[in-house]
């Protein structure tokens, strides 16, 4: 592994909706931008899985104040108010920016943006990106390619941040990573870095995200000394498909079960409806489903049955509503969503917590910026439908602009030799040359360990948590980490997927420890964080949890709103 | 023959630019009682043999094209191409793009011609 050197002004890590928006903002402010993505942009990442709903207060009777009030109420009052207000006031403006970049929205007969109303919205506030998350990523990707100042590197896996040499210690001066095409360990100096790496939903055995969602950026920021907030706040989407195996990870809309839409329900194995009408917000829906599953009312594969086949709306209405790529995908797998019962369970969908930021994406570490989904907490203990995409644009743009301001006022810094040597060695020690391996990971090791981690997290830090379970989980995570210690994979130049598997599993373990510690600290139930040993919401926990690295230990604390 | 129906047999193209002369097909068997998409199948092969490279990201909608691959001689979306237990399938890189390794292609680099 040789070390290659690159330089840029603004470096963006992650090529989903947030990273692409940040790159556009920084480039339009006049900076040279390098965007790194561990897969191909617009063909990987969490954005692609988005159905395409985006909240913006465009209805004549809606307002920024109502948007904020809905966010705070449905987030159980622990959203960062200044972030939530920024989202409410700038989402509509970002819709116009998105159109300028070529993003298309669904329009009604009069040519106006079609507005839908999802649970928790006091006015219809959801507009819809044509082509969903794939359409969004493709349009922003094309806009980046038209921008002369943006260079994109696909298949570039960032392994860590690099610190500046004294006297600028605690300033981020670049990143280290692996060019997966060539296998070269690559050091990139940058004046500022924006993390836009998404969530860590792969930590849970049931999730609706692609394999990429391991929380890399969370751990890069954490290792660099940044504060993470509310890491226990993971949104569990009520209806993630658990069977058949080839459809695991896809989801069906629980929102479509509403009376006004398809008026279906989620049923237990005996055909009893599980959800009340009007449909509750996501956290309440997923808890009702979880309780039904706990009571032994689940089907053969541990799930409940999402069903719209007996809708009073009639089969034609159902078929028309479900004529979406997401549902045609199910048909290709032999499942007809209009008539079949689909086995679903609550699964990890979105990380509301994350790297603590202010409204400009500043992380408190000089030169380091971050944007949701890897940054938070914009939403609190629950997120309304449509806030995810809105946040990528509002905060992606702000982080990109702030990073460009920083880059304009600060020079490239020399890298700290220790930080550089440590990060280089951390990766090199995972590679064995043929024959020299002492603790070589065999084919079965990593998938088994990953599965074990995911299943334990699902069991003890899933929908229902308690102290004994979380303690047990902490031990399990420790054992997985122990099993990974000293593990090596073969040193292959081109597309070393096994090395990625190993490094990503290590990251997942580190994230798991932060989730466990935060979930243990918050001794109450609020939104998607349900503690069976503390089932009530408590006034004293009207605050964030926070975690900061203190040497090799994680320091957890309550943090006032 | 009953046992064979609980398995999918794969002939997968292997290519490493470090050893281009050794390019060729390798046989794998994935045990499964249920039909699998080619996408899921590729992930299963990678779990059996960590040196086998494929893309694993997906949009769950058959839209993004992360899984573009050649199945039994035809270019296809791996995530919506189903294989039944008992079947044998040949997997090659998608014909339009330059191969990086095994079934991983470079989407920014269409093949010449």
């Amino acid at each position: 592994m040789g070390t290659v050197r690159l330089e840029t002004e603004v470096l963006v890590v992650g090529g989903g909706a947030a990273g692409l928006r940040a790159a556009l903002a920084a480039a339009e402010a006049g900076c040279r931008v390098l965007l790194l993505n561990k897969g191909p942009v617009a063909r990987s990442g969490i954005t692609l899985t988005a159905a395409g709903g985006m909240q913006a207060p465009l209805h004549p009777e809606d307002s920024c104040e109502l948007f904020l009030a809905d966010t705070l109420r449905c987030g159980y009052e622990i959203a960062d108010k200044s972030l939530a207000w920024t989202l409410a006031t700038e989402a509509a403006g970002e819709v116009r920016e998105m159109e300028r970049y070529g993003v298309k929205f669904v329009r009604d007969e009069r040519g106006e943006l079609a507005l839908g109303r999802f649970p928790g919205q006091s006015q219809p506030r959801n507009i819809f990106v044509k082509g969903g998350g794939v359409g969004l990523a493709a349009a922003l990707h094309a806009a980046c390619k038209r921008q002369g100042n943006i260079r994109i590197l696909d298949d570039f896996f960032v392994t860590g941040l690099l610190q500046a040499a004294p006297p600028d210690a605690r300033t981020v001066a670049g990143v280290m990573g692996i060019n997966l095409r060539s296998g070269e360990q690559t050091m990139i100096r940058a004046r500022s870095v924006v993390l836009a790496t998404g969530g860590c939903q792969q930590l849970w055995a049931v999730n609706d995200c692609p394999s990429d969602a391991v929380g890399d950026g969370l751990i890069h920021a954490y290792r660099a000394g940044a504060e993470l907030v509310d890491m226990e706040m993971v949104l569990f989407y009520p209806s993630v498909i658990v069977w058949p195996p080839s459809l695991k990870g896809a989801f069906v809309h629980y929102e479509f079960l509403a009376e006004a839409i398809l008026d279906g329900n989620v049923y237990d194995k005996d055909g009893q409806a599980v959800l009340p009408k009007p449909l509750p917000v996501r956290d309440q829906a997923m808890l009702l489903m979880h309780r039904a599953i706990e009571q032994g009312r689940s089907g053969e594969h541990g799930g409940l049955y999402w069903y719209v086949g007996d809708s009073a709306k009639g089969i034609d209405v159902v078929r028309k509503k479900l004529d979406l790529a997401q549902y045609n995908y199910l048909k290709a797998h032999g499942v007809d969503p209009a008539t079949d019962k689909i086995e679903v369970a609550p699964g990890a969908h979105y990380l509301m917590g994350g790297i603590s930021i202010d409204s400009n994406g500043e992380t408190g570490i000089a030169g380091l910026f971050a944007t949701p989904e890897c940054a938070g907490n914009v939403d609190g203990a629950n997120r309304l439908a449509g806030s995810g995409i809105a946040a990528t644009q509002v905060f992606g743009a702000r982080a990109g602009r702030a990073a460009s301001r920083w880059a304009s006022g600060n020079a490239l810094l020399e890298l700290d030799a220790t930080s550089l040597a440590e990060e280089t060695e951390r990766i090199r020690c995972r590679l064995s040359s043929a024959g020299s391996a002492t603790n070589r990971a065999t084919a079965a090791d990593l998938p088994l360990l990953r599965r074990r981690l995911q299943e334990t997290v699902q069991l003890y830090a899933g929908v229902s948590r308690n102290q004994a379970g979380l303690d047990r989980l902490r031990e399990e995570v420790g054992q997985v980490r122990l099993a990974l210690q000293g593990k090596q994979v073969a040193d292959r130049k081109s597309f070393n997927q096994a090395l990625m598997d190993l490094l990503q599993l290590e990251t997942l373990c580190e994230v798991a420890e932060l989730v466990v510690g935060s979930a243990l600290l918050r001794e109450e139930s609020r939104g998607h964080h349900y503690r069976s040993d503390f089932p009530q919401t408590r006034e004293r926990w009207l605050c964030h949890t926070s975690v900061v690295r203190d040497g090799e230990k994680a320091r957890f604390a309550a943090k006032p709103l | 023959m009953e046992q064979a129906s609980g398995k999918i047999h794969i002939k997968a193209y292997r290519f490493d630019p470090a050893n281009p002369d050794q390019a060729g097909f390798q046989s794998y068997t994935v045990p499964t009682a249920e039909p699998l998409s080619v996408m899921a199948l590729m992930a299963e092969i990678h779990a059996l043999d960590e040196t086998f490279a494929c893309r694993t990201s997906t949009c769950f909608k058959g839209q993004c094209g992360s899984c573009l691959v050649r199945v039994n001689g035809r270019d296809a979306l791996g995530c919506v191409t189903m294989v039944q237990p008992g079947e044998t399938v040949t997997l090659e890189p998608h014909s339009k793009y330059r191969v990086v390794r095994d079934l991983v292609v470079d989407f920014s680099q269409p093949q010449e011609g």
Side-chain angles (χ1 to χ4, degrees):
Chain A
M1 245 190 185
T3 303
V4 175
R5 289 150 192 265
L6 296 175
E7 285 180 7
T8 187
E9 289 174 346
V10 173
L11 182 72
V12 179
V13 186
L20 294 167
R21 183 66 185 90
L24 286 164
E28 284 170 3
C31 281
R32 245 181 336 120
V33 180
L34 177 61
L35 184 146
L36 307 172
N37 199 47
K38 67 179 170 181
V41 171
R43 292 187 202 261
S44 61
I46 305 166
T47 295
L48 307 182
T49 67
M54 168 172 174
Q55 281 209 93
L58 298 167
H59 191 275
E61 281 158 44
D62 202 0
S63 68
C64 299
E65 286 76 10
L66 280 176
F67 187 172
L68 175 69
D70 288 350
T71 301
L72 296 178
R73 186 185 69 253
C74 295
Y76 300 92
E77 310 296 339
I78 61 157
D80 179 316
K81 259 185 209 158
S82 113
L83 297 181
W85 178 243
T86 303
L87 181 75
T89 50
E90 296 186 6
E94 279 303 320
V95 173
R96 290 188 289 275
E97 293 294 272
M98 291 161 85
E99 291 193 296
R100 182 164 70 83
Y101 294 132
V103 176
K104 300 269 188 280
F105 290 93
V106 176
R107 291 181 175 273
D108 61 20
E109 320 69 70
R110 296 165 301 148
E112 305 287 333
L113 292 169
L115 280 166
R117 185 176 184 170
F118 277 177
Q121 297 173 343
S122 54
Q123 292 293 333
R125 195 180 294 134
N126 247 297
I127 54 173
F128 301 91
V129 175
K130 272 192 185 165
V134 177
L136 173 63
L140 294 175
H141 186 211
C144 282
K145 287 201 281 194
R146 289 193 297 271
Q147 239 294 341
N149 275 347
I150 301 173
R151 182 182 171 204
I152 295 177
L153 278 182
D154 283 347
D155 291 328
F156 190 101
F157 180 63
V158 170
T159 56
L161 300 174
L162 297 172
Q163 309 270 354
D168 298 300
R170 273 186 67 82
T171 300
V172 166
V175 306
M176 183 68 101
I178 303 163
N179 178 332
L180 294 169
R181 305 263 178 88
S182 65
E184 289 159 328
Q185 199 166 22
T186 305
M187 176 190 96
I188 306 179
R189 292 169 69 205
R191 294 184 185 183
S192 56
V193 174
V194 180
L195 294 173
T197 51
C200 52
Q201 293 84 331
Q202 279 295 326
L203 204 45
W204 285 266
V206 184
N207 72 77
D208 61 3
C209 290
S211 53
D212 315 300
V214 300
D216 321 76
L218 297 163
I219 294 306
H220 300 332
Y222 172 73
R223 285 185 192 144
E227 179 186 40
L228 271 50
V229 290
D230 298 330
M231 284 299 292
E232 74 283 11
M233 289 301 177
V234 174
L235 190 152
F236 294 97
Y237 193 77
S239 45
V240 177
I241 300 179
V242 296
W243 192 262
S246 68
L247 280 180
K248 270 185 193 167
F251 74 90
V252 280
H253 289 83
Y254 102 98
E255 290 91 346
F256 286 2
L257 303 174
E259 285 158 299
I261 305 179
L262 293 182
D263 200 13
N265 211 313
V266 169
Y267 299 90
D268 68 9
K269 65 175 193 295
D270 300 319
Q272 296 263 38
V274 174
L275 297 178
K277 298 290 176 72
L279 220 48
V281 287
R282 290 165 167 187
D283 59 295
Q284 293 165 16
M286 69 89 188
L287 266 179
L288 287 168
M289 289 174 60
H290 173 73
R291 288 202 185 111
I293 292 170
E294 244 185 1
Q295 289 161 4
R297 293 162 63 194
S298 60
E300 231 182 307
H301 309 98
L304 300 163
Y305 298 98
W306 182 95
Y307 183 55
V308 293
D310 59 355
S311 170
K313 306 277 172 192
I315 189 74
D316 293 339
V317 172
V318 173
R319 288 212 183 280
K320 188 158 177 254
K321 182 72 192 171
L322 300 183
D323 185 19
L324 297 165
Q326 183 176 346
Y327 291 88
N328 292 328
Y329 175 75
L330 308 187
K331 286 186 209 158
H333 290 243
V335 171
D336 185 347
T339 54
D340 291 349
K341 295 188 165 81
I342 302 177
E343 201 166 347
V344 297
H349 177 76
Y350 187 86
L351 177 67
M352 289 162 294
I355 304 162
S356 177
I357 53 164
D358 73 1
S359 57
N360 287 321
E362 287 189 22
T363 62
I365 302 286
L368 182 65
F369 302 81
T371 167
E373 179 184 358
C374 72
N377 184 344
V378 180
D379 305 287
N382 178 41
R383 173 170 73 68
L384 290 170
S387 280
I389 286 181
T392 64
Q393 299 306 287
V394 168
F395 295 102
R398 281 180 155 259
R401 286 194 295 267
S404 74
R405 282 195 296 275
W406 181 274
S408 307
N410 292 277
L412 272 181
L413 296 173
E414 286 308 314
L415 296 172
D416 176 56
T418 314
S419 162
L420 185 58
E422 277 175 7
E423 188 55 27
T424 307
E425 186 49 28
R426 206 175 60 79
I427 307 309
R428 281 201 184 157
C429 74
R430 292 298 191 178
L431 292 168
S432 69
S433 40
S436 75
T438 49
N439 188 14
R440 180 92 156 260
T442 59
D445 285 351
L446 298 179
L448 277 181
L449 285 170
R450 185 178 166 120
R451 197 72 210 157
R452 176 172 158 196
L453 178 70
Q454 289 174 318
E455 280 173 0
T456 327
V457 171
Q458 182 77 32
L459 184 62
Y460 295 122
V463 171
S464 176
R465 305 156 173 188
N466 62 51
Q467 170 144 12
L470 290 165
D471 284 339
R472 177 77 204 282
L473 173 56
R474 187 150 55 184
E475 278 170 38
E476 275 287 312
V477 176
Q479 284 179 27
V480 173
R481 285 196 85 167
L482 203 61
L484 287 179
Q485 228 170 50
K487 275 252 187 292
Q488 292 185 315
V489 297
D491 185 3
R492 304 179 147 266
K493 295 272 169 291
S494 175
F495 213 82
N496 196 340
Q497 199 169 350
L499 177 61
M500 283 243 286
D501 295 343
L502 179 55
L503 296 174
Q504 295 192 113
L505 184 52
E506 198 178 24
T507 296
L508 281 172
C509 288
E510 288 189 63
V511 180
E513 287 173 352
L514 304 183
V515 171
V516 171
S518 307
L520 271 169
L521 190 66
R522 188 180 284 280
E523 294 186 331
E524 66 155 355
S525 294
R526 187 183 295 268
H528 286 266
H529 172 70
Y530 177 74
R531 287 276 304 253
S532 59
D533 46 353
F534 295 97
Q536 304 301 321
T537 302
R538 299 165 80 189
E539 186 73 22
R540 61 170 290 223
W541 278 106
L542 204 56
C543 60
H544 301 292
T545 63
S546 141
V547 57
V548 181
R549 181 172 140 161
D550 184 2
E552 285 308 300
K553 283 235 181 282
R555 199 173 69 237
F556 297 92
K559 182 190 181 188
L561 293 178
Chain B
M1 288 310 287
E2 267 173 32
Q3 277 177 330
S5 65
K7 293 169 181 168
I8 292 172
H9 300 277
I10 305 104
K11 273 171 53 189
Y13 182 75
R14 302 298 309 270
F15 170 80
D16 185 341
N19 298 299
D21 301 343
Q22 290 171 25
F25 286 91
Q26 185 166 349
S27 296
Y28 293 100
T29 303
V30 169
T32 177
E34 299 292 325
L36 290 178
S37 67
V38 166
M39 177 111 211
L41 204 51
M42 290 193 291
E44 291 289 332
I45 301 170
H46 175 69
L48 292 170
D49 174 2
E50 81 279 7
T51 72
F52 170 83
C54 60
R55 296 210 183 267
T56 57
S57 195
T58 176
C59 66
F60 299 109
K61 295 171 198 160
Q63 283 183 317
C64 76
S66 158
C67 58
L68 283 169
V69 65
R70 198 166 173 81
V71 184
N72 295 331
R74 295 179 69 168
D75 288 336
L77 274 169
C79 71
V80 289
T81 305
M82 301 303 289
V83 186
Q84 304 297 322
E87 286 184 353
T88 298
V89 67
T90 302
L91 302 181
E92 297 168 88
H94 195 275
S95 68
K96 265 205 211 133
Y97 303 100
R98 188 181 68 84
V99 185
V100 175
R101 206 181 111 207
D102 298 339
L103 300 185
V104 175
V105 297
D106 176 358
F107 292 114
S108 64
Q109 295 292 323
Q111 293 271 33
E112 302 276 313

